Amino acid sequence: MPAMHHALPTRFGAALDPEKVLTEYPRPQMRRESYLNLNGRWDCAITAYDETPASYTGTILVPFSPESPLSGVNHLLLPDERLWYRRRMSLPAGFYDPAKGDRVLLHFGAVDQTATVFANGVEVAHHVGGFTPFSADLTEALAGGDDLTIVVRVRDVTDTSYHSRGKQKMKPGGIFYTPQSGIWQTVFLERVPKTHIRSLRITPLFDEAMVELRVRTSRPCACIARAAGQEITFSSGAACRIPMKEFRAWSPEDPYLYDLSVLAGEDRVESYFAMRKFSVGVDGQGVPRLKLNNAPYFHSGVLDQGYWSDGMLTAPSDEAMVYDIETMKRMGFNMLRKHIKLEPLRWYYHCDRLGMLVWQDMPNGGGRYGKLAVSAPLVTGRHKKDDDYDYFARGDIAGREEFYLELTETVETLYNCPCVAMWTPFNEGWGQFDAAEAVRRIRALDNTRTIDHASGWHDQGVGDVRSLHVYFKPYRFREDTEGRAVVLSEFGGYNLRLAEHSVSGRNFGYRKYRTAEALSDAVQRLYLREILPAVPEGLCAAVYTQLSDVEEEVNGLLTYDRAVEKIPAEVMRRINGQLYGSLREPAETEPEPAEPETT
């Protein structure tokens, strides 16, 4: 079994109360009163793939993966093993009334990778995909009683098959990390009436000064929507348009949210929305630009892996999620590129309310990547057609179909989040295939956001942006021959290893520095020499690598344990202020920092 890295606690993990783990309501846009959080201690067992546990001898702190220090397990699940969870409980008195037709629903935020769920011995759900939520109806398994035993069986093959795995690798190193498995987002129960709301679809129609609402229910019924001082009655399944005269537009500078409540029979959910518009169009000089609310808007962001030194895939607390977002805001950034993972819905809610744009990546899958497919374009600049499935390690038909299913689930899960500005189905050729078809499918699901179809390389000439990754040579702006907006979707990656805040003795990054001062000077020089002059020419976005260190990869603005800001916030805030100003007027010449020391 691969060795687990030593624990490096965050202050958020150190303050964790095992009796009160991530207790906040996990779906801020579908809030109900009947909420029962099931995070906390569960029984657990690990068996061979073809075995069932004779007994549950251990416990695990849900929702932390067994590989994470906070779980209390410290076991890396192997592809030929199974992970088992068990939770025995009695529902609170009066939680549901079977005589009235109440239903009891069990929700999982995410379970990596394949999960089968049993309630009182009855299989109630089977789900494939480690990053998207799923639910199960437990009513029949309860048979009118209150006693409940939940068992979850998990298998995770990580990168030994075609399933989506993101940054996880059985042999981690460099930009790939320790694999994780099992339940890694909140588990909770809800009671709903027989006729209940299954989903909301909220679409701000910015140019028409309206918001469109569609409500899907368990059976057809009349619905009532209340928003912006109005009450409108409509039928489930039909479009309801609510006028929003003289609305207040959402932006990172003014992240204004409108409250929304929806009633369907006896069911009621609380939600929210924002009035905003993402698009691409030319500016006054005819240059293609990313636009927010019909005005050119420069996206200055960081690559955000979303990993924690103690919770790994899972932030230790709601406060921890907020810390990352607020710290990047304090540094002047207005965008996070959520890299190769999905977060709990509460993370997107905090971006919505705090004002942070999100570029959302799809987790990558496929077989074992060939070096030419994932490395050659960075050196040669040559791009290959992505219908060569074997070249891109996408020869398995089932894997391609599974990707499309997960793509649909991702777009539908995050559709209502105002902060999500850009979809990125593929990154650096990792399991890329038929990107033009992915764009078509995304547009059919969501035509309100922009799309970076192939971040970094293997550009197929589609989507809304020309997307570049530049690490090993100076960046110089060149317009896109297809007329798309040009974005620098990864750059930088300068590294400074602080031994007392690292979990590995290795020091991976794209340029090494010995001191915080040298790192700060180098980053300032990078922005002032390469990024700032490119903005007036047409550069529309810049994504610095990256928010925090992760394992061997120590090129974060923050250490892995979030204890140290390697570059002062005011330095980054000043740089970002210059970037935003240069979109509106020519950049002024600034004195450059001295040449930093390197190793």
Side-chain angles (χ1 to χ4, degrees), residues 466-502:
R466 173 74 169 98
S467 180
L468 303 167
H469 294 182
V470 178
Y471 286 115
F472 302 115
K473 58 184 179 181
Y475 171 68
R476 296 293 180 262
F477 175 80
R478 286 195 292 183
E479 65 182 15
D480 177 50
T481 57
E482 304 290 336
R484 298 169 296 178
V486 177
V487 302
L488 187 55
S489 45
E490 289 186 31
F491 77 102
Y494 291 178
N495 48 312
L496 169 66
R497 180 177 177 269
L498 302 178
E500 64 273 27
H501 300 284
S502 298

Side-chain angles (χ1 to χ4, degrees), residues 436-514:
E437 172 63 12
V439 170
R440 188 195 68 79
R441 291 181 183 236
I442 293 171
R443 292 228 195 275
L445 294 165
D446 177 13
N447 64 0
T448 71
R449 294 175 170 95
T450 52
I451 301 174
D452 176 359
H453 77 292
S455 185
W457 44 78
H458 293 302
D459 186 1
Q460 307 300 298
V462 298
D464 296 298
V465 299
R466 173 74 169 98
S467 180
L468 303 167
H469 294 182
V470 178
Y471 286 115
F472 302 115
K473 58 184 179 181
Y475 171 68
R476 296 293 180 262
F477 175 80
R478 286 195 292 183
E479 65 182 15
D480 177 50
T481 57
E482 304 290 336
R484 298 169 296 178
V486 177
V487 302
L488 187 55
S489 45
E490 289 186 31
F491 77 102
Y494 291 178
N495 48 312
L496 169 66
R497 180 177 177 269
L498 302 178
E500 64 273 27
H501 300 284
S502 298
V503 296
S504 171
R506 297 189 178 182
N507 182 1
F508 179 87
Y510 300 104
R511 191 170 180 181
K512 296 180 175 69
Y513 295 90
R514 294 174 176 171

Side-chain angles (χ1 to χ4, degrees), residues 141-373:
L142 285 165
D146 292 329
D147 292 334
L148 176 61
T149 297
I150 301 169
V151 171
V152 183
R153 184 183 69 206
V154 176
R155 189 183 186 198
D156 187 350
V157 298
T158 311
D159 61 339
T160 65
S161 183
Y162 55 72
H163 298 297
S164 296
R165 66 268 189 176
K167 285 293 196 110
Q168 304 172 76
K169 197 170 184 179
M170 290 306 298
K171 294 181 179 179
I175 63 172
F176 293 101
Y177 315 138
T178 301
Q180 290 149 84
S181 56
I183 299 169
W184 66 275
Q185 290 190 26
T186 289
V187 185
F188 65 106
L189 289 172
E190 282 186 314
R191 175 195 70 250
V192 295
K194 187 173 183 179
T195 301
H196 58 273
I197 297 167
R198 285 184 170 164
S199 67
L200 305 178
R201 182 179 172 90
I202 308 168
T203 307
L205 303 174
F206 191 90
D207 294 333
E208 300 171 53
M210 292 184 177
V211 63
E212 183 177 281
L213 174 65
R214 290 182 184 268
V215 179
R216 189 168 65 92
T217 54
S218 56
R219 57 183 180 177
C221 66
C223 300
I224 299 173
R226 294 172 181 156
Q230 302 171 79
E231 181 173 297
I232 296 180
T233 302
F234 59 103
S235 297
S236 61
C240 165
R241 290 194 169 187
I242 304 171
M244 298 293 295
K245 295 181 179 179
E246 299 181 355
F247 62 81
R248 186 169 164 184
W250 183 96
S251 70
E253 295 72 33
D254 183 20
Y256 187 79
L257 302 176
Y258 286 91
D259 291 328
L260 169 68
S261 63
V262 180
L263 290 80
E266 297 181 1
D267 195 19
R268 175 191 179 104
V269 297
E270 301 295 328
S271 188
Y272 67 87
F273 65 93
M275 295 299 294
R276 56 93 182 99
K277 177 184 176 183
F278 301 116
S279 60
V280 172
V282 296
D283 63 13
Q285 288 72 47
V287 177
R289 294 288 185 186
L290 293 177
K291 289 188 172 183
L292 172 61
N293 303 335
N294 293 325
Y297 193 88
F298 189 82
H299 295 213
S300 180
V302 292
L303 202 65
D304 182 2
Q305 312 281 2
Y307 275 68
W308 298 80
S309 59
D310 45 11
M312 300 179 82
L313 274 178
T314 309
S317 66
D318 213 53
E319 181 188 2
M321 292 186 225
V322 171
Y323 171 78
D324 272 6
I325 301 164
E326 286 189 332
T327 301
M328 294 304 105
K329 285 278 287 188
R330 188 160 45 84
M331 289 187 172
F333 293 104
N334 60 21
M335 177 263 286
L336 299 174
R337 181 181 167 201
K338 181 50 64 176
H339 197 36
I340 320 293
K341 73 170 284 198
L342 275 68
E343 291 287 358
L345 284 169
R346 286 199 64 83
W347 183 87
Y348 298 93
Y349 162 66
H350 292 310
C351 290
D352 291 337
R353 70 176 185 85
L354 294 171
M356 182 64 82
L357 302 175
V358 174
W359 291 10
Q360 180 61 54
D361 289 6
M362 272 292 297
N364 57 295
R368 187 181 299 275
Y369 305 145
K371 289 184 178 180
L372 281 177

Side-chain angles (χ1 to χ4, degrees), residues 102-114:
D102 287 352
R103 315 296 294 181
V104 177
L105 305 181
L106 173 64
H107 302 285
F108 293 86
V111 184
D112 193 13
Q113 287 168 319
T114 302

